[in-house]
Amino acid sequence: MRQVVLDTETTGLEAAAGHRIIEIGCVELVNRRLTKNCFHRYVNPEREVDRGALEVHGIENDFLATQPKFAEIAAEFVEFVKGAELVIHNADFDVEFLNHELRRLPDMPQQIRECCGVLDTLALARRLHPGQRNNLDALAKRYNVDNSKRELHGALLDAQILADIYLAMTGGQVSLSLESETPRGAMAGVVELNIDRRGLALPVLRATPEELKAHEKYLDGLAKESGGKVLWRIP
């Protein structure tokens, strides 16, 4: 399974008010393992950054004026994320901005969900930790993820931090390596998990009468082929 952990920075809070994306950061997970494949671009928003947003990410207008416009990086971005499940914290925010950018362009998906699935880690965190703070810094502290370099928001750094949080929150990074093939010390970075699963209701799917009838018919066929010598029907 391929997942892309994504974060954006923007000129302000509302795409509907004309605010634009100024940075996209993505890191790749394949079968729950971080790869070295990433996507990171700064974007010229063709407008000024709001003062409040500047205080959050510190990305200056003069710098952004030298960067490519979204139209110039859109095809490369869509190609990178196409077919993956996007893992995003507070996904509605980023999805709204991505859709706003894509709808401005011809020959592009009009919504990011046309080419990707979306998983919202904020919604997941709220189910796992109801009534608690579930922003990125709070989750990093809860799951012992290092966020010491996060003095300001940055799309790539935040995507990297979110990837570690997501893996810890959902059971850790999976390794299929045999013990004999694993270098000594390779497991030093394994995260100890202390997950509060209270309030997380796991669904129990029970067989329907039709499914039970089909199952009995299948067992009858097995019993017939084995001459009736089946363990589940020994008196």
Side-chain angles (χ1 to χ4, degrees):
M1 180 181 182
R2 182 172 182 263
Q3 296 171 296
V4 171
V5 186
L6 177 147
D7 188 58
T8 64
E9 299 299 336
T10 64
T11 62
L13 293 177
E14 296 184 22
H19 286 291
R20 306 285 303 275
I21 288 174
I22 60 171
E23 185 187 9
I24 302 175
C26 303
V27 296
E28 182 185 60
L29 295 171
V30 176
N31 296 327
R32 296 181 55 79
R33 292 174 61 87
L34 277 164
T35 73
K36 296 181 180 180
N37 199 15
C38 66
F39 179 92
H40 183 220
R41 298 290 184 275
Y42 291 100
V43 181
N44 180 351
E46 305 177 79
R47 58 157 292 159
E48 296 287 299
V49 177
D50 274 7
R51 183 178 296 276
L54 183 61
E55 292 173 356
V56 170
H57 51 61
I59 304 174
E60 299 280 354
N61 291 308
D62 290 346
F63 169 74
L64 292 172
T66 67
Q67 301 304 309
K69 299 173 183 177
F70 187 85
E72 298 173 62
I73 61 100
E76 183 185 9
F77 166 70
V78 169
E79 182 62 28
F80 184 84
V81 301
K82 185 170 62 178
E85 178 182 60
L86 298 182
V87 178
I88 309 174
H89 201 66
N90 192 17
D92 287 348
F93 178 87
D94 299 85
V95 166
E96 180 185 4
F97 270 92
L98 290 169
N99 289 345
H100 178 72
E101 296 288 354
L102 291 169
R103 283 194 291 264
R104 297 168 64 95
L105 304 174
D107 304 322
M108 282 287 127
Q110 297 301 287
Q111 297 191 47
I112 194 65
R113 283 187 169 92
E114 291 179 19
C115 59
C116 303
V118 176
L119 185 154
D120 187 353
T121 52
L122 178 58
L124 175 61
R126 284 172 173 168
R127 291 199 300 271
L128 291 172
H129 310 290
Q132 301 182 53
R133 294 179 63 213
N134 289 301
N135 60 33
L136 210 60
D137 288 331
L139 290 171
K141 182 177 181 180
R142 189 171 301 144
Y143 288 100
N144 298 315
V145 171
D146 181 12
N147 67 338
S148 58
K149 296 179 181 179
R150 193 178 187 245
E151 296 178 3
L152 293 171
H153 290 212
L156 184 60
L157 176 60
D158 285 0
Q160 292 167 338
I161 292 170
L162 179 58
D164 289 337
I165 290 171
Y166 167 70
L167 290 172
M169 192 162 52
T170 56
Q173 184 169 226
V174 174
S175 173
L176 298 180
S177 299
L178 297 177
E179 185 176 352
S180 61
E181 297 173 345
T182 304
R184 183 177 295 275
M187 299 301 288
V190 172
V191 178
E192 285 189 24
L193 299 179
N194 183 19
I195 301 175
D196 181 3
R197 300 188 185 276
R198 289 174 296 179
L200 179 63
L202 297 177
V204 178
L205 301 180
R206 302 189 184 279
T208 65
E210 293 77 13
E211 289 169 337
L212 290 172
K213 185 176 179 180
H215 181 62
E216 285 298 322
K217 184 176 180 181
Y218 177 75
L219 293 181
D220 287 341
L222 290 179
K224 183 177 180 180
E225 289 192 14
S226 64
K229 297 177 181 179
V230 288
L231 292 176
W232 61 86
R233 290 185 175 170
I234 291 178

